[in-house]
Amino acid sequence: MSDKVAYERKGDVAVVRIQNPPVNALSQAVRQGLWDAMDRAEADEGVRAVVIVGEGRAFIAGADITEFGKPPMEPHLPVLCNRIEASPLLVVASMHGVSLGGGLEVALSAHYRIAQPSSRVGLPEVHLGLIPGAGGTQRVPRLTGADKAIEMITSGRHLKAPEAAEMGLIDRVEEGDPEAVGLAYAQELLESGAERRPVSELPPADPIDWDATYEAVLKKGRGQISPAMAVRAVQAATELPFDKGLERERDIFLDLMKTDQRQGMIHAFFSERAVSNLPELKGVEPRALQSIGVIGGGTMGAGIATACLLAGMEVVLIEMSDGAAAAAKERIAGNLAGALKRGKISQEKHDALLNVALEVSQNYDSLKDVDLVIEAVFEDMAVKKEVFGKLDAVCKEGCVLASNTSYLDVDEIAASTKRPEDVIGLHFFSPAHVMKLLEVVVADKTAIDVTATGFALGKALGKICVRAGVCDGFIGNRILAVYRDAAGHMVLDGASPFQIDKALVSFGFAMGPFAVSDLAGLDIGWATRKRKAPHRHPDERIPTYIDRLCEQGHFGQKTGEGYYIYEKGKRGGTPNPKIMELVKAEQEELGITPRDFSDEEIVRRYMCAMVNEAAKVLGEGIAKRPLDVDMVLLFGYGFPRYWGGPMKWADIQGLEKVLADIESYATEDAWFWQPAPLLKELVAEGRTFDDLNKEYAK
Ligand code: 3HC
Ligand code: NAI
């Protein structure tokens, strides 16, 4: 028998224990082991019941995701589930930790389910671009009804055991050792003469309005197809006999397995875990992180302070004046009130964080004991240097000195101190207590344990940390500047900002680039254009029509007018008619005859610009791995998760095709569309970005 599943006889009950660390994923060996264990129990004279338990931290976390995309190996999970359910013995699943996906499906094929109160169950397959494929869409609605099944399966959310019990998925919730409570439950059932209870034999759930549900779920998925297909699978559970419904589920599951979305989402799943796993940090001890200093309590400083407070750290925040200090405290109070309202913290905790753990001061001496300082003052090198000079004077030896700068040279900031090895960039995203991304910007002289400390801080704050090197904009903002320019060029050439936004929302972005500019404030881009103007290459195309709007004091959402007009109390905006007039004037001035763009071409150019710049960022070593770029775009820039990230998108399209498109665009604008040397190299060698990920992991 497979060593992944142990068999032990306890009186008239057989205990079948899955032992496949870390999370008991249902690999082929586990499936075979379970099958063999059921055979053995049925052949073992005197055995009347089977208790299935998981070793370690989980019952079963689901199918083994690393097997996806490879030829399926027997025994297949749905067949195994049916085999467990059909056993003449009484089968009990005793669940602890998580029971997810195939793990819950195994439990649902048992006749009774008992779970620890702290345990969680769920069918998260939609987050992998799939649907439950081992009877989940057929058995769950038979227990919960169609509505609850749809909510659970299309959201993929984890349910705590008591909620799952209330819905009918679990029969009993009981604290204790999973094997002991499972055995006691099995004994009790045997003594009471309880019958086997196959879920598949329960009557089907009542139907609901399937087409309306399908459409609503499809719309909510913003282009993601798996949740909508899950609706069709649950529909089958109400319309077809169990075995036919199972076939329908399997067909949909296997169709989804072939999709790009499945590839993209599984790439995202593994990359999210691999991203903070840097070989160079293995065995490096991070420095202490008990107390944090934050300089500047504006948008970013207040958000960073909030995140640190919520993670249990003490925070000393420095501001410039009484008024600014009061405003900073007000911002943090607002953020914490939000956490209180959402039930993330208690009133008592809220008060302690705001009044005890937080100190707002104007005196840099208050920073003398902190372990790490994050500077978030104005984006101005002279101001930053002055602040770092002061920090150098007051902070204790070994204190990490971090800057939240968006674009500025961290090497230059570091050089303004006598301890450049302690200086690092920690680039948070706005709002800093909400957004998951943290770019850890490693400067030339940053000590390795300071880098480790940056990652440790990010982990403590629940962030996805990505290592970045120093350049203008690091990974994310540098790439953003380029694909944003590509959108600007398309406007000059004839696509409207509104068509571009719409095309990119259809591609899966949460917002289009022009709506994002309105949200961020048009004044930011305007200031950057003015700053960069003197050093601009003569061939660089930069649209200036939007500057005319800024000159009139319109900066986007905050002033009510930008690319869109925003009415108070209404969500979103409507296209601003002035924009196309301003564009037309600039086209006439430049002698451009506008042409039509298809939505497809818009997406293609935008994505090619993104991929090309990303390949330059990789080639220069600013990002170490393609997956680092993917995670930056996914967690910081609203890139659709189901594409996996721009590098994964490019691999899926085929790099040869991407390069060919870039080269064809270069015939119109050779300066902008200079192909990245790395992209050319990969195409010449027939390799992909994912090959680079794999090489780095070796
Ligand atoms: N298959 C293979 N590996 C898995 C896995 C799975 N289902 N679930 C987790 N792992 C791996 C992770 O990649 C990670 O590996 P690493 O240490 O090499 O990076 C390790 O297990 C630990 O995982 P986490 O770091 O994520 O640990 P956490 O404790 O933070 O989270 C978890 C544990 C909640 C189980 C989380 O890993 C998770 O959500 N896993 C995926 C669950 C899932 O989606 N299951 C459905 C699978 S699809 C399916 O079952 C199809 C079926 O319907 C036919
Ligand atoms: P902000 O203007 O909202 O806040 C800056 C704060 O710093 C102000 O409250 C100001 O009083 C204070 N300050 C200025 N000089 C100071 C000094 N010498 N000592 C103490 N306090 C001082 O600016 P914001 O948006 O919070 O940006 C701060 C930094 O974060 C900038 O470097 C910016 O580039 C970066 N950043 C901004 C993001 C954003 O979306 N706003 C995102 C990521 C980084």
Side-chain angles (χ1 to χ4, degrees):
M1 203 157 94
S2 149
D3 62 350
K4 300 286 180 191
V5 178
Y7 179 92
E8 198 181 350
R9 174 102 183 242
K10 298 264 168 110
D12 52 3
V13 181
V15 175
V16 171
R17 179 177 290 278
I18 301 156
Q19 38 196 31
N20 186 23
V23 290
N24 293 331
L26 291 158
S27 62
Q28 190 279 336
V30 171
R31 298 195 302 277
Q32 188 62 55
L34 273 170
W35 191 286
D36 295 344
M38 291 305 295
D39 280 353
R40 184 164 166 189
E42 285 164 15
D44 199 346
E45 207 168 318
V47 166
R48 296 163 66 208
V50 174
V51 173
I52 304 176
V53 289
E55 174 90 31
R57 63 199 236 217
F59 175 68
I60 306 170
D64 185 339
I65 304 171
T66 59
E67 288 182 357
F68 291 174
K70 299 178 186 157
M73 287 178 287
E74 291 186 336
H76 302 310
L77 192 56
V79 184
L80 172 65
C81 287
N82 288 349
R83 192 252 170 277
I84 292 171
E85 192 184 55
S87 175
L89 304 175
L90 192 93
V91 185
V92 173
S94 182
M95 299 139 81
H96 76 289
V98 290
S99 309
L100 299 173
L104 178 59
E105 290 171 305
V106 166
L108 290 171
S109 61
H111 305 129
Y112 292 88
R113 285 159 290 284
I114 183 164
Q116 302 290 310
S118 59
S119 67
R120 288 178 288 138
V121 306
L123 293 171
E125 285 88 342
V126 293
H127 297 309
L128 302 173
L130 293 167
I131 62 164
T137 65
Q138 306 302 299
R139 290 191 174 91
V140 169
R142 284 180 158 79
L143 289 167
T144 66
D147 277 329
K148 286 189 181 140
I150 292 288
E151 191 280 325
M152 174 182 175
I153 297 171
T154 61
S155 71
R157 82 182 166 95
H158 295 188
L159 282 65
K160 290 231 174 87
E163 183 188 355
E166 208 162 289
M167 278 168 63
L169 290 173
I170 293 173
D171 302 293
R172 184 179 289 184
V173 177
E174 193 174 318
E175 184 87 57
D177 171 64
E179 180 181 318
V181 296
L183 270 172
Y185 188 40
Q187 288 296 352
E188 188 187 317
L189 289 164
L190 289 175
E191 278 158 27
S192 68
E195 305 251 320
R196 290 168 62 257
R197 207 188 39 176
V199 177
S200 65
E201 290 174 14
L202 295 175
D206 290 336
I208 55 176
D209 184 342
W210 293 110
D211 288 347
T213 308
Y214 174 85
E215 288 304 330
V217 171
L218 192 63
K219 190 161 173 231
K220 197 168 166 210
R222 284 213 310 259
Q224 196 194 332
I225 51 176
S226 54
M229 291 315 293
V231 173
R232 293 304 187 203
V234 176
Q235 178 178 359
T238 67
E239 293 174 350
L240 301 173
F242 183 80
D243 55 338
K244 293 286 168 212
L246 208 58
E247 273 174 29
R248 177 92 181 97
E249 176 194 83
R250 196 69 190 160
D251 287 347
I252 298 176
F253 180 84
L254 292 176
D255 281 350
L256 288 170
M257 193 60 99
K258 292 181 213 135
T259 59
D260 294 343
Q261 292 199 0
R262 191 274 300 165
Q263 273 198 57
M265 293 191 92
I266 288 183
H267 172 75
F269 177 86
F270 284 116
S271 300
E272 207 177 316
R273 284 159 177 80
V275 72
S276 54
N277 205 351
L278 296 186
E280 68 254 40
L281 295 184
K282 271 216 179 88
V284 181
E285 265 308 300
R287 297 183 187 175
L289 275 175
Q290 208 28 55
S291 53
I292 308 291
V294 178
I295 319 296
T299 311
M300 293 308 291
I304 294 167
T306 308
C308 293
L309 288 168
L310 288 171
M313 296 162 189
E314 292 152 20
V315 174
V316 179
L317 186 141
I318 304 290
E319 257 297 352
M320 294 198 293
S321 64
D322 285 346
K329 188 154 185 184
E330 190 82 357
R331 275 185 209 106
I332 296 170
N335 294 341
L336 291 175
L340 175 66
K341 205 170 136 202
R342 284 192 303 280
K344 280 191 156 186
I345 47 170
S346 65
Q347 182 69 51
E348 195 186 344
K349 176 105 192 178
H350 166 273
D351 298 348
L353 293 184
L354 193 59
N355 302 319
V356 183
L358 172 68
E359 178 190 342
V360 180
S361 163
Q362 290 167 52
N363 184 351
Y364 276 72
D365 285 341
S366 312
L367 296 170
K368 65 181 177 16
D369 294 326
V370 299
D371 299 316
L372 179 146
V373 184
I374 306 166
E375 162 279 312
V377 302
F378 305 132
E379 186 75 342
D380 179 313
M381 184 54 95
V383 180
K384 303 252 187 218
K385 281 186 174 169
E386 191 198 323
V387 167
F388 273 78
K390 286 188 192 159
L391 295 177
D392 203 7
V394 299
C395 291
K396 69 181 180 191
E397 197 188 317
C399 175
V400 173
L401 307 181
S403 173
N404 181 48
T405 178
S406 309
Y407 292 94
L408 299 175
D409 184 344
V410 183
D411 286 323
E412 194 179 335
I413 296 174
S416 69
T417 71
K418 288 194 262 337
R419 38 174 138 172
E421 66 283 2
D422 291 337
V423 177
I424 193 163
L426 290 178
H427 184 217
F428 289 81
F429 288 70
S430 180
H433 57 299
V434 177
M435 291 289 285
K436 291 278 276 182
L437 181 63
L438 176 66
E439 283 182 320
V440 177
V441 184
V442 179
D444 271 356
K445 297 204 169 131
T446 306
I448 189 75
D449 62 336
V450 169
T451 306
T453 311
F455 274 82
L457 176 74
K459 191 170 176 210
L461 303 184
K463 306 287 181 204
I464 300 284
C465 302
V466 183
R467 183 202 186 282
V470 175
C471 69
D472 193 11
F474 316 123
I475 299 176
N477 281 347
R478 169 162 162 191
I479 299 172
L480 164 73
V482 175
Y483 65 77
R484 187 64 184 70
D485 279 351
H489 297 165
M490 286 190 273
V491 172
L492 283 184
D493 292 334
S496 80
F498 319 114
Q499 185 196 359
I500 293 175
D501 275 357
K502 222 163 133 241
L504 291 162
V505 168
S506 293
F507 176 76
F509 277 95
M511 286 168 98
F514 298 98
V516 169
S517 296
D518 272 1
L519 181 67
L522 298 179
D523 45 331
I524 296 183
W526 191 29
T528 309
R529 283 188 293 280
K530 283 193 270 194
R531 177 166 60 83
K532 290 192 171 170
H535 319 288
R536 199 164 281 148
H537 190 278
D539 290 345
E540 196 177 344
R541 298 176 78 198
I542 295 292
T544 55
Y545 66 90
I546 198 66
D547 296 351
R548 307 287 89 76
L549 202 73
C550 292
E551 283 156 14
Q552 295 166 25
H554 302 305
F555 299 139
Q557 283 203 16
K558 60 186 165 193
T559 60
E561 183 174 339
Y563 287 98
Y564 298 85
I565 307 267
Y566 301 88
E567 275 179 54
K568 270 217 165 78
K570 276 202 182 159
R571 272 188 81 200
T574 48
N576 183 353
K578 277 189 211 158
I579 294 290
M580 291 321 289
E581 285 168 30
L582 293 170
V583 171
K584 195 161 171 266
E586 187 168 358
Q587 285 165 339
E588 277 166 12
E589 198 181 310
L590 296 172
I592 295 171
T593 310
R595 69 172 176 95
D596 285 340
F597 281 79
S598 68
D599 288 359
E600 200 192 341
E601 183 182 356
I602 289 172
V603 168
R604 197 79 199 170
R605 282 178 177 259
Y606 196 72
M607 286 305 304
C608 282
M610 193 184 296
V611 170
N612 199 35
E613 189 62 16
K616 290 178 187 170
V617 161
L618 278 164
E620 291 168 26
I622 301 299
K624 295 264 188 198
R625 299 165 293 185
L627 70 86
D628 290 337
V629 174
D630 285 338
M631 294 307 98
V632 165
L633 270 293
L634 234 59
F635 289 98
Y637 297 83
F639 192 92
R641 187 181 173 92
Y642 56 76
W643 283 114
M647 309 275 82
K648 186 68 191 173
W649 177 88
D651 275 352
I652 290 173
Q653 306 303 306
L655 297 190
E656 207 170 331
K657 176 87 182 61
V658 172
L659 179 62
D661 282 351
I662 291 169
E663 283 169 343
S664 79
Y665 304 147
T667 58
E668 301 156 15
D669 182 350
W671 191 87
F672 182 77
W673 290 104
Q674 294 171 49
L678 176 67
L679 185 59
K680 286 166 95 173
E681 200 181 301
L682 288 175
V683 170
E685 293 166 359
R687 292 194 300 154
T688 63
F689 286 120
D690 218 25
D691 289 335
L692 297 181
N693 287 326
K694 289 189 190 119
E695 278 162 29
Y696 195 84
K698 272 183 202 154

